[in-house]
């Protein structure tokens, strides 16, 4: 199964921006939809955004208008551009196939901390 490694997280002030990357261990051409998820301390993992091979995107209401998901099949990489970050965006961010039948194990994720 394809595995994913997230990177690009860090500490940012409210209103700031970060760009997360999700590097796949193999081709993502066969993965119809790639998703981003996040998990805050003491909370369940939640859906953030998804992108299909055709470029269709969808976002959770909490991030709509602020986050943009994209993919580069040639680089086997998915991205999440996060703008106007808020403290409530603080979480560990993960990427994985959106469909359970195509999903690999969850990786370590990348920590995003939004604080002044």
């Amino acid at each position: 199964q394809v595995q994913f490694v997230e990177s690009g997280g860090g500490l940012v002030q409210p209103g700031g921006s970060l760009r997360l990357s999700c590097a796949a261990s193999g081709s993502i051409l066969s993965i119809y939809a790639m998703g981003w998820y996040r998990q805050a301390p003491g909370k369940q993992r939640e859906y953030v955004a998804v992108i299909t091979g055709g470029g269709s995107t969808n976002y959770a209401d909490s991030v709509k208008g602020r986050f943009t998901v994209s993919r580069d099949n040639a680089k086997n990489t998915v991205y999440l551009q996060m703008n106007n970050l808020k403290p409530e965006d603080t979480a560990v961010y993960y990427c994985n196939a959106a469909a359970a039948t195509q999903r690999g194990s969850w990786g370590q994720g990348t920590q995003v901390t939004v604080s002044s």
Side-chain angles (χ1 to χ4, degrees), residues 12-51:
V12 64
Q13 295 186 0
S17 299
L18 284 173
R19 190 192 194 201
L20 306 184
S21 296
C22 169
S25 63
S27 175
I28 61 173
L29 289 173
S30 63
I31 301 178
Y32 180 71
M34 285 292 302
W36 282 96
Y37 307 83
R38 66 187 183 186
Q39 186 170 24
K43 297 183 178 180
Q44 297 289 316
R45 182 182 292 111
E46 67 174 350
Y47 163 79
V48 175
V50 67
I51 184 168

Side-chain angles (χ1 to χ4, degrees), residues 13-93:
Q13 295 186 0
S17 299
L18 284 173
R19 190 192 194 201
L20 306 184
S21 296
C22 169
S25 63
S27 175
I28 61 173
L29 289 173
S30 63
I31 301 178
Y32 180 71
M34 285 292 302
W36 282 96
Y37 307 83
R38 66 187 183 186
Q39 186 170 24
K43 297 183 178 180
Q44 297 289 316
R45 182 182 292 111
E46 67 174 350
Y47 163 79
V48 175
V50 67
I51 184 168
T52 69
S56 297
T57 59
N58 186 267
Y59 302 89
D61 288 341
S62 59
V63 307
K64 192 171 297 182
R66 300 187 298 118
F67 291 11
T68 303
V69 62
S70 61
R71 64 192 291 170
D72 186 335
N73 291 332
K75 295 181 178 180
N76 293 324
T77 302
V78 183
Y79 305 95
L80 184 68
Q81 178 66 47
M82 306 185 295
N83 298 326
N84 191 25
L85 284 161
K86 303 176 180 180
E88 51 262 45
D89 295 319
T90 296
V92 177
Y93 284 70

